[in-house]
Structures are given as structure tokens and as C-alpha cells.
Amino acid sequence: MTAVEQSIEAAPAQTCLPDGFQVQIDMRCARHGDLRYLVGGSPTRLLRMSDAALGMTSDDGRIAVCDNATRRLARSLLDSGIANPRPMFGPQAHEVTIVVPVRDNQAGVDRLLAAVSGTPVIVVDDGSRTPIVVNDPAVKVIRSERNRGPSAARNVGAAMATTEFVAFLDSDVVPSADWLTVLLGHFSDPSVAVVAPRIVGLNWSQAHGNDSGPGLAERYENGWSSLDMGPDEAAVVPSTPVAYVPSAAMVVRRNVFCGFDESLRVAEDVDVCWRMHEAGWRIRYDPVARVSHDHRTDLRSVLSRRRYYGTGAARLAELHGNRAAPVVMSIPMAVAVGALLTRTKIGTALAMIILAQVAFRLRRRLGDLPQAPLVAAQMTGRAAGFGLLQAAGAICRHYWPVALILAIISARFRKLAIEVAIAEGAVSWVRQVIADPATPTLGPVKYMLMHRLDDLAYGAGLWQGVVERRDVGALRPVLRP
């Protein structure tokens, strides 16, 4: 029986936060520090804090759970995405078993085991041509004579574990010393089933043992890897900025974890996150905990991996429907974005009319929020900007074969496509550098070159998957009323 055929235990109806648990309101949601009105989350929403709720909240937005009222308030803020958890306690490292799926990477296993010494480890050798050898008697090694894929290997290791929690680590990662301490605290929330760290690039000299500077492809991977979910902590929810977390490094609550779909050799992490979410369990991403990944260093392997990731989109669309859509937008916003992309006076006028209507409806929903007209205008502008970026990304990434054909036969579209590719790349670079100043230095021109090659590779894989599966679900946009 594959993991996808197993039933998923639903999250308990009552997921009470324990006494002593704390949450922190994201103060970016409080305009001018006023906690009475909170605007944020994904999708964006407005929360009005009552006098009673304000009385439970410190001036800096911290709430400590101590009774049913604070429990309900903390849970509401967490689920809205306007607050983040600040657990004060959690399981210990000895309650975790690390499962390492590996094929033909003895050096990586040796390096990883040195970094996690003292924690129970199960190494699953997934059909290595030369069997993996571990001399530490405390490490259990399970060998499969044939390669079944990382999903099956992880499931085999998890089934052998007896601890309450299981940490999945790929053989090409190295966790920081405190990664488990940071992550395990989240499990003091009984509704949390999966927690993941930030995955960053392994230092060049540490990975390769020399002083040579990294090349362009490696510098891009170190700053913009598809495994790196970014510098901001978040709840992991489909159709949000952090829609999944990579299986290269994650910790799960073993007795409720649904297991990986063994029919998937790519996108299995996306699938498992979405299935756990559908069952009512919560997933957290905490970038304070860090795990370093030995990234690919040459252009060919980097782009080949991106193409491989793209092939999983068609299968995700089969399994999860609209959640795998390349574009999700309201119909009015889609019309406005399309009108703006025409770059005509009539198109611009039509877009302004639609956006004004959107802002007006939003203003009415904001009620007595201070400076409501300004907030409505700002939120509408951000939504339009995000819509434009989403459309530009789709043109350059998901639909680039169609865009290429249109560019060949239409000089007007060719000019638009070039402008869109440059503008989207520039905005993406600026947003990343502002959000995470520690991002390895890569100038805008070199970044845009790599970003566009990344898009071409992923899009090629996406279309390959669509053709192979004869299902266009991964290309179908979702337009909502």
C-alpha cells in the first residue's frame, strides 16, 4: 500500500493552545502601531480588536495564553496569519528520530551524521550502487536492493521510528546546531503536524574545500534556490507566499503524519503539505532554524533540476485541482491587469475604472478604520501590482512557449514580452534584496539572466509533464468572481 492510499488522521476538533504559549502580532499589520485595527494575513483581511482583546495584549503585540479567552484570541490571530507563535517550551531532541534517504552519497551521509551526533538516526539506502556504510552502531541502516525513490525511502524510515517525532533530512544537507531546538517548540501547539527550517546554501569552502569563488550558477542558487522559502516566518497554506516546505528538511509528528505518496518522485513535498492541510493540521515555517544544502554548482545541473521540478506540476494538478493553477485572480482584477497590459489609453482608462470600483467596495468593508480611503487605495494598488507580477511571471515561466510563438508573429507582443521580462526581473530582484539583505550578491543584470533561464527550464518541464500526462490542468488559470 502506498502512502497516498493510507488514511490521514484528521486534526482534533479542539486544538487548544497550552498555558504559557505566546503569540506575537506582526506589527506591520498595525498601522502606526495601533493594535485596535489589524490589516494583514494572506489573503489580506481586517481584524478589529475589542477592548477586552486589547487588555490581553501587551503594547508590543504579545499575548500569553493563560485562560480560555486568551486561548481563543491567540488561535484566531494565528489562523488569520496576523500573528506568529512564540512557544515557550516543547519536546526534547531525544524524542526525535532523524530519517535520511540516500542513494550514492556516502560523503554526504558521513558529513550529515557528524553534524547530528547524539540524535537517533535511521539511514535508508535507496538502492545505492555501492552500499552506504556507517560505522556508528547507534545509527540504523536499512538497505533496499532497488531504487524506489525518496518518498518510499522516507516512509520506510519513518515506519521504523519509535519516537513521537521524525525529522527528514536529505543526505546533501547539514543542519545548524540549534535547528531542532528552534523547531520542536512549535509542536507545543497540538494542531501543528509539520515544521520546517529555512534551507540555505552550504558555504563554498565548506562544501568544496578550496578558496575558489563560486560561479554565476552557484551564486544564483545560494541566493534564489527553490528550496529557500525566504526570511519571513509563516504558516504554510496553499495559495499563499509559503504554500509548501521542502522535504529536504522537515520535522513531523509521527503518529498523525500521512506519509509521502510513493508514486511521486518530484513534488512529493508539495503534495504532502497540501494533504496535511486538507486534513486540518497546521504547518509552520521557521527561518530562524537553518539547514545548509549542498547546492548544484554548474549551470546545466541547476537548470536540469528546475526542469525536473516543473514536471511535477501536471501530477499536482491531477491530485489537487486548482491549487496547482499558475494564475489565481479575481475576474475584475484579471480584466484590469489585461487592460493595463494592452498599454493603450482605452485599456488604461478601463483598468482605472475597474480598480476604482474595487477600491470603493473595499472602502465600504473597512468601515470605521482610520484613514480607510487611503488604506483601501493602498490595498487595491498592491493587489493590482501583485496581479501584474503574477501575469508577467506566467508569461515568462508557465506560458513561455505560447508567448514565444506570439512574439514571433507579432511585433507588438514581442515588445510587450521583452518589457515584461525586464520589468518582472527587476522588481523580483529589488524585492528579494530588500526582504533579505543577506542574500549573496548578484547584480540585477546577472540575476535577470539567471531568473529568465530558470523560468525557461521550469516552464519546459511543466509542458513536458502536461504532454506526458495529457492533462492541461497545470496550465489552466483560476479566475474567481
Side-chain angles (χ1 to χ4, degrees), residues 124-128 142-148:
V124 183
D125 183 349
D126 189 28
S128 296
I142 302 171
R143 174 166 171 78
S144 172
E145 292 303 321
R146 65 183 180 89
N147 175 250
R148 298 175 57 199

Side-chain angles (χ1 to χ4, degrees), residues 37 130 178 232 234 323 344 403 458:
Y37 300 95
T130 300
D178 63 347
D232 296 327
R323 283 184 173 167
T344 62
Y458 180 90

Side-chain angles (χ1 to χ4, degrees), residues 2 8 16 32 36 44 55 57 107 128 131 144 151 203 209 215 258 292 300 342 370 392 400 416 429 469 475:
T2 64
I8 304 175
C16 296
H32 309 298
R36 185 173 295 277
T44 303
T57 309
S128 296
S144 172
S151 293
N203 179 270
C258 64
S292 299
R300 181 175 181 177
T342 65
W400 71 256
L416 171 65
W429 180 83
R469 304 202 71 85
L475 294 170

Side-chain angles (χ1 to χ4, degrees), residues 133-163:
V133 176
V134 177
N135 295 320
D136 186 346
V139 177
K140 182 180 296 185
V141 180
I142 302 171
R143 174 166 171 78
S144 172
E145 292 303 321
R146 65 183 180 89
N147 175 250
R148 298 175 57 199
S151 293
R154 294 188 188 104
N155 288 343
V156 168
M160 296 296 295
T162 58
T163 52

